[in-house]
Amino acid sequence: MSKLSSFVWSIADQLRGPYHPHEYGSVILPMTILRRLDAILEPHRKQIAELIDGVESELRQTSMVRQATGLRFFNTSKFTLATLLKDPDGLEANLTEYANSFSSAIDVFDRFKFDEVVAKLAEKQLLFNVVERFSQVDMHPDVMTNSDMGDLFEDLIRRFAEASNATAGDHFTPRDAVRLVVDLMFAEDNDALLEKGAVRTVYDPTAGTGGMLSLADEHLRMRNPGARLTLYGQEYNDQSYAICKSDLLAKGQDPENIKLGDTLADDKFPGKTFDYCMANPPYGVDWKSSEKAVKDEHKQGFNGRFGPGLPGVGDGQMLFLLHLASKMRPASQGGGRVGVVMNGSPLFNGGAESGQSEIRRWLLENDLVEAIVALPNDMFFNTGISTYVWVLDNTKVPERAGKVQLIDGSKRFVKMRKSLGSKRVEISDGDRDRILVDYDAFEETETSKIFDTEDFGYWTVTVERPLRLNFTCTPDRVGHVRVELKLKTVDREQLADVLGSFGEEVYRNKDAFMKDLGKHLGAHGVTLTTSQRRTLWLTLGERDETADEIRDAKGNIEPDPKLRDTENIAFGWNGTPKTAQDDGTERAVIDAYFEAEVRPHVPDAWIDYAKTKVGYEIPFTRHFYTYVPPRPLAEIDADLNKVVTEIMELLREVEA
């Protein structure tokens, strides 16, 4: 494959000069697709020509061709890439005609604006050489499998991305990561998949070049050649869509199952559900372009895809997670499974009752999260960050009901001999098998942890402390009052006189100060509203731990906003019942935590129960953290002394 990729890449060398590196893909990719389709049609050309001769309906033509050859597309032109070269003078017109003569299922060349590509190649005197070189590459399926073709596309995209400093990872996911996702998706369906004539559907809402779908199909056919997997996908990028659709067409898949469009804003498969859903949505990419449509659908509640909540507009990963959950075949129809690769932020970002937390809450409380697997760092072409595979299932086997398995696969890798962008490691077959052993065993080990779904829930409680202020009418404080109180100039001067009459006496009790203030105001004929009086004492007051608590008119203690704090209390803290239900248990657990963990340190604190929130997070790395004690000081000293001794010996040699 590397030789073929290098050969195809070498064709790009002929484009140097008239084309910049970032433009190579606009020529090489559609020509690669054309050569692949050309090679697939080659053995059937005569038969297809005879079949469609005199038949005007394309629908009828397509049906006849599919029945006779198994192909879902055809070309009505008399040309092939090889025969096009026999007429160099007419090459531009004939190649354009050839590309436009495919059946309507092949709309991929429009996405590359292929007519313009051909015209520019002809203008720069490059067309004949490029077509000649491509005609020399045998891309028939007997020579190049569908998997090889997928590898070729992905390698070319990576090379073009590197040449133009673009992001290859936007288009495809490394094959080793996809194989793990596919194995995890199929893990609970092994027996059924081996049945004769098994039929399943797979869907990828971020299809890219179709790598995930292709590998899922390849994986199932290797295990059960008689099985039939129907592939569905949606892709936003025109060129990736074109590659994906042409690749799946070559596999005999229905072209109508691959759609172009923004999955979040416009689901092209509304109401349709699938046996398996898989995706690798973009990390940390905002969804501003989809914002209006997403928020409108969110208003529909659980009648839409985004009922549980919305994440921050800066990252759309969790929207794709909700979308995938909505696409699982209902449990009443046999259920569905999801495998999705995301970075670490969906595990924990967002506080209690934020959109992100509410999404996690909905997934966990509905028992949809089956397992989460940590992947090695440096796995992807465009990022070295931590990534995770989430596995969802709406028909868990009994032993997994109410449970979530966390698997640490971060050390399961081998180093690559040559890095590909940020990708420096890969998951070998042996590493993948060891991860699957952990999954199948469903036991507690160093690399596998089992939790109840409630273990990830917590309450965020607001801890208040009393507002304690002293009051004195120093010039500085009075100056602040003159600024804060919205009074007429005359009234401000009168109030300054009132406050000046206090001298610099310090009050540590608000009621005493307000009582004397009332007397002074009355003596000077100054009237203040209740709101103005509050502004006055808040402005004059300064925090003083020795002052008395301030209470409102009803006798309630005023909380100090600057001393306000929050505590996260895990469901099941210290062996208490794990529940988010407001049945009295919640209050009892919070009270017990407060008495044990808060009051001993701040005796005057209390909890504002009205502000209590429920949150969910999955602190993955914390559960696999292993404490490594620091080296003993004596050992460190010994090493330092050894180094010092070596340095001194070297210095003595220099002096000698």
Side-chain angles (χ1 to χ4, degrees), residues 340-564:
V340 55
V341 185
M342 298 186 289
N343 68 15
S345 63
L347 293 168
F348 52 78
N349 65 346
E353 295 188 8
S354 66
Q356 297 95 315
S357 178
E358 288 298 284
I359 292 170
R360 287 189 292 270
R361 179 179 184 175
W362 180 78
L363 291 169
L364 289 163
E365 290 186 352
N366 284 277
D367 200 16
L368 296 178
V369 183
E370 181 179 88
I372 300 175
V373 181
L375 299 179
N377 289 348
D378 302 323
M379 268 283 294
F380 289 79
F381 300 102
N382 60 331
T383 179
I385 62 175
S386 300
T387 50
Y388 302 81
V389 179
W390 288 55
V391 180
L392 308 184
D393 193 329
N394 59 4
T395 53
K396 290 184 180 180
V397 294
E399 59 267 26
R400 289 183 180 269
K403 304 288 184 181
V404 177
Q405 182 179 17
L406 303 184
I407 299 174
D408 182 11
S410 61
K411 304 297 189 296
R412 307 289 198 194
F413 65 85
V414 294
K415 289 187 176 181
M416 299 173 63
R417 285 181 294 178
K418 181 181 179 182
S419 299
L420 298 175
S422 296
K423 183 172 176 59
R424 298 177 177 85
V425 303
E426 60 185 356
I427 300 174
S428 67
D429 291 346
D431 293 320
R432 189 168 71 253
D433 288 342
R434 283 186 283 274
I435 292 172
L436 292 170
V437 166
D438 277 342
Y439 172 84
D440 289 334
F442 193 58
E443 296 173 350
E444 289 269 347
T445 67
E446 289 186 2
T447 54
S448 171
K449 307 294 181 184
I450 312 297
F451 298 91
D452 295 330
T453 54
E454 297 89 350
D455 287 332
F456 303 112
Y458 64 91
W459 295 283
T460 292
V461 297
T462 300
V463 178
E464 302 281 16
R465 293 187 62 194
L467 179 62
R468 300 176 187 271
L469 302 175
N470 68 43
F471 306 93
T472 186
C473 296
T474 62
D476 283 347
R477 297 198 196 183
V478 173
H480 289 308
V481 172
R482 290 168 66 112
V483 172
E484 293 296 326
L485 275 181
K486 308 302 181 184
L487 299 173
K488 296 178 181 178
T489 303
V490 174
D491 293 338
R492 282 204 302 269
E493 296 304 323
Q494 286 182 311
L495 180 61
D497 291 340
V498 170
L499 297 177
S501 67
F502 272 82
E504 295 192 4
E505 180 182 353
V506 178
Y507 292 78
R508 289 185 170 80
N509 182 282
K510 191 202 89 171
D511 292 339
F513 171 71
M514 295 303 290
K515 182 177 179 181
D516 286 354
L517 176 66
K519 293 177 182 177
H520 284 267
L521 290 173
H524 288 76
V526 178
T527 303
L528 295 178
T529 65
T530 302
S531 173
Q532 289 172 333
R533 286 179 180 240
R534 179 176 177 84
T535 300
L536 187 148
W537 66 257
L538 282 172
T539 306
L540 273 179
E542 285 190 357
R543 283 169 177 76
D544 183 345
E545 285 294 318
T546 66
D548 295 338
E549 301 168 343
I550 293 177
R551 295 178 179 267
D552 62 19
K554 295 181 180 180
N556 299 315
I557 298 175
E558 292 258 8
D560 187 338
K562 291 191 175 180
L563 296 180
R564 182 172 293 141

Side-chain angles (χ1 to χ4, degrees), residues 48 87 90 112 174 242 330 411 438 440 479 514 516 518 592 605 637 642 654:
I48 290 174
D87 182 9
F112 286 98
K411 304 297 189 296
D438 277 342
D440 289 334
M514 295 303 290
D516 286 354
D637 285 341
K642 181 180 178 181
V654 171

Side-chain angles (χ1 to χ4, degrees), residues 54-345:
V55 180
E56 294 185 2
S57 166
E58 183 180 325
L59 184 63
R60 176 67 177 149
Q61 291 173 333
T62 302
S63 176
M64 294 170 66
V65 169
R66 184 183 177 190
Q67 187 174 2
T69 67
L71 300 178
R72 290 181 176 268
F73 67 97
F74 57 91
N75 190 296
T76 59
S77 170
K78 63 181 179 181
F79 296 112
T80 67
L81 277 188
T83 60
L84 282 168
L85 296 171
K86 295 178 180 179
D87 182 9
D89 294 335
L91 181 57
E92 178 183 354
N94 294 338
L95 178 57
T96 301
E97 178 196 331
Y98 181 39
N100 292 332
S101 296
F102 281 97
S103 51
S104 58
I106 304 291
D107 63 349
V108 297
F109 296 107
D110 293 338
R111 305 301 167 186
F112 286 98
K113 299 179 180 178
F114 193 62
D115 290 2
E116 296 177 18
V117 171
V118 172
K120 183 174 180 179
L121 284 170
E123 178 189 350
K124 302 301 181 182
Q125 304 295 312
L126 294 171
L127 184 59
F128 186 89
N129 288 340
V130 169
V131 174
E132 182 180 41
R133 294 293 297 277
F134 268 102
S135 68
Q136 295 168 1
V137 184
D138 190 351
M139 294 187 182
H140 189 274
D142 290 344
V143 177
M144 285 191 68
T145 66
N146 290 321
S147 178
D148 290 339
M149 202 67 206
D151 289 340
L152 174 61
F153 277 128
E154 293 183 1
D155 188 60
L156 290 173
I157 289 172
R158 180 187 59 77
R159 291 179 185 236
F160 294 137
E162 289 177 353
S164 60
N165 198 30
T167 306
D170 287 346
H171 302 275
F172 61 91
T173 309
R175 291 298 174 103
D176 52 331
V178 178
R179 289 188 178 97
L180 176 61
V181 174
V182 170
D183 280 343
L184 288 168
M185 271 207 320
F186 289 161
E188 289 293 341
D189 208 5
N190 277 333
D191 294 338
L193 289 174
L194 294 176
E195 293 176 0
K196 184 177 181 180
V199 178
R200 294 291 187 275
T201 55
V202 178
Y203 167 67
D204 183 350
T206 57
T209 58
M212 278 192 159
L213 294 171
S214 294
L215 275 180
D217 182 62
E218 175 188 319
H219 183 90
L220 181 57
R221 291 183 186 281
M222 286 176 60
R223 298 171 62 185
N224 183 358
R228 183 162 63 88
L229 204 59
T230 305
L231 309 179
Y232 296 81
Q234 185 167 337
E235 173 55 33
Y236 195 33
N237 178 277
D238 278 27
Q239 295 189 2
S240 296
Y241 158 80
I243 294 171
C244 177
K245 186 168 184 178
S246 61
D247 187 37
L248 297 188
L249 264 171
K251 293 178 170 65
Q253 293 288 332
D254 187 343
E256 292 302 312
N257 292 347
I258 306 300
K259 304 290 188 180
L260 177 67
D262 180 352
T263 298
L264 297 181
D266 183 16
D267 177 16
K268 296 296 185 180
F269 300 97
K272 189 169 182 62
T273 57
F274 306 92
D275 297 302
Y276 305 106
C277 303
M278 55 199 305
N280 178 24
Y283 310 147
V285 176
D286 68 62
W287 43 281
K288 291 178 182 177
S289 62
S290 312
E291 187 172 2
K292 184 182 185 304
V294 168
K295 288 185 174 179
D296 286 347
E297 187 169 347
H298 174 62
K299 293 174 184 176
Q300 300 175 22
F302 289 90
N303 291 324
R305 296 170 291 168
F306 309 121
L310 298 179
V313 76
D315 189 353
Q317 290 179 92
M318 298 192 82
L319 291 178
F320 282 102
L321 189 60
L322 284 177
H323 171 77
L324 288 162
S326 76
K327 289 298 180 181
M328 288 192 290
R329 191 175 300 286
S332 60
Q333 299 176 23
R337 287 172 66 81
V338 167
V340 55
V341 185
M342 298 186 289
N343 68 15
S345 63

Side-chain angles (χ1 to χ4, degrees), residues 4-16 19-33 112 130 134 151-169 171-172 209 239 243:
L4 178 59
S5 181
S6 297
F7 176 77
V8 175
W9 174 256
S10 71
I11 301 174
D13 289 338
Q14 300 184 33
L15 305 178
R16 293 182 188 278
Y19 289 84
H20 295 294
H22 70 273
E23 297 176 306
Y24 293 170
S26 65
V27 175
I28 300 301
L29 292 174
M31 285 300 301
T32 303
I33 293 173
F112 286 98
V130 169
F134 268 102
D151 289 340
L152 174 61
F153 277 128
E154 293 183 1
D155 188 60
L156 290 173
I157 289 172
R158 180 187 59 77
R159 291 179 185 236
F160 294 137
E162 289 177 353
S164 60
N165 198 30
T167 306
H171 302 275
F172 61 91
T209 58
Q239 295 189 2
I243 294 171

